[in-house]
Amino acid sequence: MILQPVLHPVLLVLLLAAPAALVIRALIKGPKKGAPGTPGRPIWALRLGMIVVVFAMLLRPGIPGGTSQTLATDTDIVIVVDTTASIIAEDWDGDKPRLTGVRADVQSIVSEYPGARFSLISFDAAAQLRLPLTTDATALMSSLDVMLPEITDQSRGSSISIANRMLADTLSAAAKSSPDRSRMVFYLGDGEQTTSSDPESFASSAKYVDGGAVLGYGTAEGGPMKKTTGRAGANGQGGDYIEYQGERAKSVIDEANLRRIGEQLGVEYQHRTADAEIALPKAPTTTTDYAASGEVGNVIELYWVLALVLVALIGVELARATMLVTRLRGLADRPARPSSRRSAPRSGTGASVPPRASSAPERAKRDEGPAEEGAS
């Protein structure tokens, strides 16, 4: 038997001690005499059973179901994503936004390096650290799913290397906090420089990089772009396309810029298309180890059996409560008995004798009688 408690067992005992004490006290004292509907000892015993079952469920019992080795990748991976308006240009897999391919490739990166720590940086007019280093791959994908490109009306051009300083700072901090871990960088963008200045270099980050890749999105023919509104839904796009000189504006990939970034970081460049599998480099061998994570047992959970027992006990309690409510309603609906009236005096034979009414002359004689006796 294996126990995987949701809380420390001592905390579980403290949590359930008070209700258990109350139930045990009521069980020992028993029901009060002359109190109809008061729970008897069997009911209190049932309630004590509920508490015991809940305690056992929170311990999460299970039985071993075999073991398997897991791969641990002691690597910090920083993902840099272009969020300018061109990232939703519609030339991925036909007429889909490039951001669709970006999200699919990030998911592949997460799957390729299990156990790694991930960080997410986005850039358009400015760079933004959207997610610090974490092993929570779900948080990474959630951040990517809600990530929207910059608003078209607020766009003033962007540089493909505006994130270079934030990337260097992130890698430097990771190297200081965990010098034994390796570091990889994945840059995802189209390489289109829309400012008049030349791109800055990523060379300051190269000394911290042990691997990674620059992934390019887009086509030489270019793809049209819808206006971005910054609101959720449809990648934050509006219904109208961006126009330039009366025609739909198109974004074209600049592979020369992307290759230059790859050279500065010391990683390979790869042009991404929907019909080609992504080729990801292997993690540094010194940081990929099966023994580091050990053997993890596959536990067959048994809490669901206890949950069924708890449901049965609750069903008994509900059935009793329903019976009591039905009985009380029956008493309330029963007609009240008529109130008894005081009966008239009865004769010896049991028949009621109504009082005889006195006539006026008789009442006069009774009144005069005592006076005449006094005169004689």
Side-chain angles (χ1 to χ4, degrees), residues 218-263:
T219 59
E221 296 79 15
M225 301 165 287
K226 287 184 178 180
K227 293 182 179 180
T228 53
T229 61
R231 293 189 292 271
N235 294 320
Q237 297 170 258
D240 299 329
Y241 284 90
I242 300 174
E243 293 189 355
Y244 179 73
Q245 295 182 349
E247 296 182 356
R248 289 182 179 179
K250 290 187 176 182
S251 170
V252 179
I253 188 173
D254 192 329
E255 294 191 273
N257 281 340
L258 295 173
R259 288 192 177 92
R260 191 176 299 112
I261 294 175
E263 293 172 358

Side-chain angles (χ1 to χ4, degrees), residues 55-92:
F55 178 75
M57 284 179 58
L58 295 177
L59 289 177
R60 286 184 62 198
I63 57 176
T67 59
S68 61
Q69 286 187 320
T70 58
L71 180 65
T73 307
D74 297 329
T75 304
D76 293 334
I77 299 177
V78 182
I79 300 174
V80 184
V81 177
D82 182 353
T83 54
T84 59
S86 61
I87 201 63
I88 57 171
E90 298 173 350
D91 57 359
W92 172 267

Side-chain angles (χ1 to χ4, degrees), residues 269-355:
Y269 164 71
Q270 181 180 167
H271 181 223
R272 293 292 300 121
T273 57
D275 57 353
E277 292 290 335
I278 186 171
L280 296 174
K282 293 183 178 180
T285 55
T286 56
T287 62
T288 304
D289 189 12
Y290 285 96
S293 60
E295 291 189 349
V296 177
N298 297 323
V299 180
I300 300 175
E301 299 277 2
L302 297 178
Y303 71 89
W304 61 272
V305 178
L306 297 169
L308 293 177
V309 175
L310 181 61
V311 169
L313 296 177
I314 293 175
V316 174
E317 181 74 17
L318 291 176
R320 174 183 174 275
T322 302
M323 292 174 60
L324 289 176
V325 171
T326 304
R327 187 181 302 172
L328 291 174
R329 286 182 176 176
L331 293 175
D333 295 339
R334 185 180 299 175
R337 294 180 179 179
S339 59
S340 61
R341 296 180 180 179
R342 183 175 297 176
S343 59
R346 298 177 180 270
S347 64
T349 59
S352 299
V353 179

Side-chain angles (χ1 to χ4, degrees), residues 14-24 51:
L14 294 176
L15 182 65
L16 299 176
L22 293 175
V23 172
I24 293 173
I51 296 175

